[in-house]
């Protein structure tokens, strides 16, 4: 089960033509798990296949190469449909070094207990000589999880971008120029479902690959794009541009505070927002007119509402404002999230979330972030103890993630 796709480059993946359960969807057209073997002087595997097919994958690979000869295993993305067969492969390829990002190595160790293996940690722009080929690596966080990277073979002019540029089709013919039916719409749907929520990161990725000479794109699902590869890059470019206008998005940041700590949290949220191109309107409700603030919120594209916690409750005028927001027609579909500082408990953020949901906002919390963009760090509701710096750093990151959501909406 191997197909030569280039000089010394082989597809060694798995075509899964079932109706495949995937991210709470059913892939009616199945999918492929594309893994690649570069038969260079230092044989290298790029990504593996789904965890369900680990043994079959290794058995097929053995027909092409003695696993003991494999020197590198590149893991672009640690999800089980790409890294799932790594334990089975690593057990046979005992000398192989695992090439991935720093966060990727941590996640792989947590998942597969590979602490005894040697990792090669790569960062943006790093290169690796694999004996007759030079691989270049670029970090592409949140495409579609934080640890993701892409790999480029300079001599082959081939991009191995894992989930990016993928399509969920059980493509037995493997190459897009041999496709038996229409697949362009499937390509666009994949982008919309998986990549579109991360539009700013798509733009960053396109910028990173803009100077590369790419003749073939070998993703981890669906067709290998060897015909008109540039047209698929252009499609991503077109689909990731601002829709219709270049209007700067606006977020209202409102809060009540007792000692000033929640104000500090708000400032770091604002930095994260503004660093990502969001215009902000910031209100300390102690000195703001509730009616005026409500009008600004109506005109904004998102809302961050915060409060300190006192006796397990909100403080100041935040509850008065939240009651005012109930039923405003412009709330529907807008992103909103809660934040606040605390000393002993921190329940205020829960009350704020309840009000935001009742008003009709799309509430951003841990469940939403895990389910949509794969962020597993606790960002929202944002709860910072006093004004500790680690909490402030989290607040800045939370502002950046919220900006990403608003910009993609």
């Amino acid at each position: 089960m191997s197909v030569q796709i280039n000089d010394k480059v082989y597809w060694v993946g798995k075509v899964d033509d079932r109706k495949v359960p995937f991210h709470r969807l059913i892939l009616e057209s199945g999918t492929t798990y594309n893994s690649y073997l570069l038969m260079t002087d230092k044989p290298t595997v790029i990504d593996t296949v789904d965890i369900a097919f680990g043994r079959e994958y290794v058995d097929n690979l053995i027909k092409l190469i003695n696993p003991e000869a494999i020197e590198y295993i590149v893991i672009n993305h640690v999800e089980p449909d790409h890294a799932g067969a790594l334990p089975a492969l690593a057990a046979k390829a005992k000398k192989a070094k695992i090439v991935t990002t720093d966060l990727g190595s941590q996640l792989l160790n947590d998942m597969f207990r590979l602490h005894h293996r040697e990792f090669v940690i790569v960062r943006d722009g790093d290169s690796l000589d694999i004996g007759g080929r030079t691989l270049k690596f670029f970090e592409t966080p949140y495409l579609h999880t934080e640890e993701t990277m892409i790999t480029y073979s300079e001599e082959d002019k081939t991009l191995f971008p894992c989930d990016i540029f993928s399509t969920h089709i059980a493509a037995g013919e493997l190459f897009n120029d041999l496709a038996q039916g229409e697949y362009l719409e499937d390509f666009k749907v994949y982008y919309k479902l998986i990549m579109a929520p991360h539009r700013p990161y798509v733009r960053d990725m396109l910028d990173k690959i803009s100077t590369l000479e790419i003749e073939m794109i070998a993703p981890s699902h669906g067709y290998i794009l060897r015909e008109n590869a540039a047209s698929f890059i252009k499609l991503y470019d077109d689909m990731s541009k601002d829709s219709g206008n270049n209007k700067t998005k606006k977020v209202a940041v409102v809060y009540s505070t007792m000692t000033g700590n929640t104000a500090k949290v708000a400032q770091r949220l604002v930095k994260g927002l503004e660093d990502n191109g969001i215009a902000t309107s910031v209100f300390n409700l102690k000195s703001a007119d509730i009616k005026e603030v409500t009008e600004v919120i109506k005109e904004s594209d998102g809302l961050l509402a915060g409060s300190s916690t006192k006796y397990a409750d909100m403080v100041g005028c935040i509850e008065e404002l939240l009651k005012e927001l109930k039923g405003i027609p412009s709330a529907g579909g807008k992103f909103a999230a809660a934040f606040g500082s605390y000393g002993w408990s921190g329940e205020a953020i829960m009350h704020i979330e309840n009000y935001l949901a009742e008003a009709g906002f799309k509430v951003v919390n841990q469940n939403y972030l895990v389910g949509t963009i794969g962020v597993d760090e606790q960002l929202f509701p944002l709860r910072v103890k006093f004004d500790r710096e680690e909490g402030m750093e989290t607040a800045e990151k939370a502002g950046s993630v919220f900006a990403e959501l608003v910009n993609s909406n």
Side-chain angles (χ1 to χ4, degrees), residues 193-374:
L193 292 176
I194 306 296
M195 297 297 158
H198 313 276
R199 188 191 67 81
Y201 296 100
V202 173
R203 303 302 305 169
D204 289 345
M205 178 274 298
L206 291 170
D207 184 57
K208 289 177 181 181
I209 69 172
S210 62
T211 60
L212 304 179
E213 190 175 352
I214 299 171
E215 294 182 355
M216 182 185 294
I217 301 174
S220 286
H221 295 297
Y223 290 111
I224 296 171
L225 307 170
R226 68 179 181 183
E227 181 178 69
N228 297 325
S231 68
F232 295 93
I233 297 173
K234 186 178 186 305
L235 260 178
Y236 262 54
D237 186 28
D238 292 341
M239 291 188 293
S240 63
K241 286 177 180 173
D242 288 335
S243 55
N245 62 70
N246 295 314
K247 172 177 85 74
T248 300
K249 298 291 183 74
K250 295 180 289 187
V251 169
V253 181
V254 302
Y255 63 90
S256 290
T257 185
M258 289 191 300
T259 62
N261 290 337
T262 298
K264 294 177 183 177
V265 176
Q267 290 166 10
R268 295 296 282 269
L269 283 165
V270 167
K271 185 176 188 311
L273 291 165
E274 293 182 347
D275 284 351
N276 288 273
I278 297 289
T280 59
S281 301
V282 185
F283 297 95
N284 181 340
L285 296 179
K286 183 178 181 180
S287 55
D289 179 85
I290 297 295
K291 296 292 185 184
E292 178 189 340
V293 175
T294 302
E295 291 305 311
V296 171
I297 292 171
K298 289 179 181 179
E299 299 301 317
S300 296
D301 301 293
L303 169 64
L304 292 174
S307 174
S308 306
T309 296
K310 182 179 181 182
Y311 300 137
D313 205 350
M314 299 171 283
V315 302
C317 299
I318 187 72
E319 187 166 19
E320 180 184 347
L321 172 67
L322 293 170
K323 288 178 178 178
E324 193 74 24
L325 297 180
K326 280 188 179 182
I328 63 171
S330 58
K334 289 183 180 178
F335 287 111
F339 70 92
S341 66
Y342 73 103
W344 296 271
S345 52
E347 295 90 341
I349 55 173
M350 301 185 328
H351 304 312
I352 293 172
E353 268 202 351
N354 290 337
Y355 273 111
L356 293 174
E358 289 173 14
F361 288 97
K362 189 185 297 182
V363 177
V364 177
N365 53 26
Q366 187 68 1
N367 286 345
Y368 184 86
L369 292 174
V370 170
T372 56
I373 59 175

Side-chain angles (χ1 to χ4, degrees), residues 64-86:
L64 195 62
I65 188 173
N66 179 353
E68 290 282 357
I70 297 171
E71 296 208 19
Y72 296 107
I73 303 170
V74 176
I75 299 295
N76 284 314
H77 172 38
V78 305
E79 273 199 305
D81 53 331
H82 309 295
L86 176 60

Side-chain angles (χ1 to χ4, degrees), residues 76 143 148-151 159-165 217-220:
N76 284 314
L143 297 181
T148 308
M149 69 178 193
I150 59 178
T151 302
L159 183 69
F160 300 92
C162 203
D163 276 329
I164 307 166
F165 301 112
I217 301 174
S220 286

Side-chain angles (χ1 to χ4, degrees), residues 60 62 85 112 182 211 229 281 342 350 376:
N60 286 327
I62 288 172
F112 301 129
E182 169 59 39
T211 60
S281 301
Y342 73 103
M350 301 185 328
D376 60 2

Side-chain angles (χ1 to χ4, degrees), residues 18-38:
R18 304 170 299 153
K19 292 185 177 181
V20 181
F22 188 82
H23 287 238
R24 294 187 63 80
L25 300 171
I26 298 295
L27 305 179
E28 297 289 340
S29 300
T31 193
T32 61
Y33 309 108
N34 298 335
S35 175
Y36 303 95
L37 172 64
L38 283 65

Side-chain angles (χ1 to χ4, degrees), residues 67-72 90 92-98 117-118:
E68 290 282 357
I70 297 171
E71 296 208 19
Y72 296 107
K92 299 291 185 181
K94 293 184 169 66
K95 297 183 294 185
K97 301 177 181 68
I98 300 168
R117 298 305 291 254
E118 183 177 350

